[in-house]
């Protein structure tokens, strides 16, 4: 809850501070898939930070992107997949443990839970 960061949407529609208190504030309009991706990336990063901190390995930094795939499905369109890509600096943590924590964050963050019907892929790297 004490951390802070910076979030920028790919289109440049939003660029600003990001922390626990501002998480639910209103931002500039953009497309729903970009908003969903930004929300998912932010939620995942916060969940991973909390998991790592509780395990005694507070991260120096976490950078996550979420690519939301929307495709023609039947007569309409559907969100078919979300690719999460994260890179973190976590002193003293080996890759095997990091992968376990990253997977737990993917499964446990509230946005991942809300989007459970959508296929999700995770690429997680230690920097």
């Amino acid at each position: 809850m004490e951390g802070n960061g910076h979030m920028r949407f790919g289109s440049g529609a939003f660029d600003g501070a990001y922390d626990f208190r501002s998480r639910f504030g209103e931002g500039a309009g953009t497309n729903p898939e970009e908003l969903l991706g930004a929300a998912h990336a932010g939620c995942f990063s916060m969940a991973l930070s909390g998991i790592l901190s509780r395990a005694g390995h507070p991260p120096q930094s976490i950078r996550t992107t979420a690519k939301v795939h929307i495709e023609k499905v039947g007569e309409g369109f559907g969100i078919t997949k979300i690719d999460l890509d994260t890179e973190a600096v976590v002193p003293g943590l080996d890759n095997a443990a990091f992968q376990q924590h990253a997977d737990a964050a993917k499964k446990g963050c509230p946005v991942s839970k809300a989007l459970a019907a959508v296929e999700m892929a995770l690429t997680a790297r230690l920097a």
Side-chain angles (χ1 to χ4, degrees):
M1 287 189 195
E2 296 79 26
N4 62 67
H6 187 86
M7 183 180 356
R8 180 178 60 238
F9 292 176
S11 69
F14 176 81
D15 186 352
Y18 182 72
D19 62 27
F20 188 83
R21 292 173 304 278
S22 69
R23 182 174 178 195
F24 299 104
E26 293 184 36
T30 186
N31 71 66
E33 293 73 36
E34 187 174 48
L35 289 169
L36 191 62
H40 199 182
C43 183
F44 171 85
S45 292
M46 291 175 79
L48 181 56
S49 178
I51 288 168
L52 291 167
S53 295
R54 286 188 297 279
H57 297 282
Q60 287 182 351
S61 67
I62 297 173
R63 180 181 168 97
T64 305
T65 60
K67 182 178 179 184
V68 178
H69 299 262
I70 186 166
E71 299 176 18
K72 183 96 166 114
V73 178
E75 296 293 317
F77 289 85
I79 294 173
T80 58
K81 184 177 182 185
I82 299 171
D83 294 317
L84 288 169
D85 187 297
T86 193
E87 183 174 273
V89 176
V90 188
L93 187 67
D94 66 40
N95 187 57
F98 178 68
Q99 295 300 321
Q100 289 178 349
H101 294 313
D103 189 57
K106 182 184 95 169
K107 292 175 183 170
C109 98
V111 175
S112 287
K113 289 179 181 180
L115 299 172
V118 178
E119 177 187 349
M120 288 179 209
L122 172 64
T123 301
R125 295 175 307 285
L126 284 170

